[in-house]
Amino acid sequence: MRLIPLAAVALLLSAGSALAQSSEPGIAVGATAGTSGVGLDVQIKLGPIFTLRGSTDRLTHSADESYDGVDYTGDLTFDTVGAFIDMHPLANGLLISGGAYLGDRDIALAATPNGPVEIGGQTYSSGQVGTLNGAVKLSDVAPFVGIGWDDTFYRNSRWGIRAIVGVAWSDEPEVALTSTGGSLSNDPTFQARLRDESQSVTEETEGYGLFPIVQVGLNYKF
């Protein structure tokens, strides 16, 4: 029967040692990949519960999109830095994260119609329209919340694994369309139609304000 209290004491001593180890300060660097792009992280441990984290990410992607009946080629470029506080409520790998992404988050649009298209409620020929260029501008600050796992400061190894899911959000996108090379590109009436078309595209891109974050990474602890 004496084995039970001895085992309990050993377990408490082991837990205390692990907690003491996890409370030591530390710095870690890591590489990440996910929906936010590929990037680098730097983490500073503030104690057994909180970790301060900074990141830099780059995401590029090209896709064909149709807005208001016009087919565009879209090129997405996100160059961001991030600042976050990761809370480990159980003093282990489980984390709740909050912070924000900051930087340029733009989508460039281009379309050269091959036939008649409707712009701002009016139909125009391809020769009148020329080439349409557009910019979908997302706000430069995107708050973030997420949950995940990062055992970098909670294991007896220099290496740690990170995985997180969450969402970043921003104000509604701003869209501006211009025309070049068309017979009406500089026509004031046509430009007014383009402004109406920009508003229609803006309404179709409202969902871009919410951006899901799924990210995995590998960290090295100093």
Side-chain angles (χ1 to χ4, degrees):
M1 295 296 292
R2 292 182 179 179
L3 292 177
I4 295 178
L6 288 175
V9 170
L11 182 60
L12 289 173
L13 290 174
S14 176
S17 175
L19 185 58
Q21 182 180 16
S22 70
S23 65
E24 294 177 357
I27 297 175
V29 297
T32 61
T35 57
S36 58
V38 295
L40 298 173
D41 274 0
V42 176
Q43 300 184 62
I44 300 175
K45 190 178 183 191
L46 304 179
I49 303 297
F50 293 100
T51 298
L52 180 65
R53 180 168 54 91
S55 70
T56 178
D57 297 277
R58 180 174 176 82
L59 174 65
T60 59
H61 180 68
S62 296
D64 295 331
E65 298 286 348
S66 180
Y67 298 109
D68 202 28
V70 179
D71 295 327
Y72 292 90
T73 297
D75 292 316
L76 177 152
T77 303
F78 287 0
D79 285 305
T80 58
V81 296
F84 312 92
I85 287 286
D86 294 341
M87 181 178 70
H88 297 259
L90 302 180
N92 63 7
L94 179 68
L95 68 86
I96 301 170
S97 182
Y101 290 93
L102 304 93
D104 294 330
R105 301 186 304 140
D106 302 318
I107 303 172
L109 302 176
T112 304
N114 294 320
V117 290
E118 188 173 297
I119 303 294
Q122 179 68 42
T123 300
Y124 296 93
S125 69
S126 58
Q128 292 172 318
V129 172
T131 297
L132 294 174
N133 293 287
V136 181
K137 175 68 175 177
L138 298 171
S139 59
D140 292 339
V141 179
F144 167 82
V145 293
I147 187 170
W149 178 270
D150 189 339
D151 58 9
T152 303
F153 296 116
Y154 302 94
R155 62 188 306 182
N156 294 320
S157 171
R158 292 288 187 182
W159 298 96
I161 297 173
R162 175 180 181 79
I164 193 166
V165 295
V167 63
W169 68 93
S170 64
D171 295 335
E172 294 180 1
E174 298 178 0
V175 180
L177 294 175
T178 60
S179 169
T180 58
S183 61
L184 295 179
S185 293
N186 297 319
D187 180 75
T189 301
F190 181 67
Q191 290 180 355
R193 295 290 186 184
L194 276 178
R195 288 191 289 272
D196 293 339
E197 185 71 10
S198 296
Q199 182 58 40
S200 296
V201 176
T202 297
E203 293 173 357
E204 292 191 27
T205 59
E206 286 181 354
Y208 290 6
L210 289 176
F211 192 79
I213 300 294
V214 179
Q215 189 181 74
V216 295
L218 182 65
N219 299 321
Y220 182 81
K221 177 176 59 181
F222 294 95

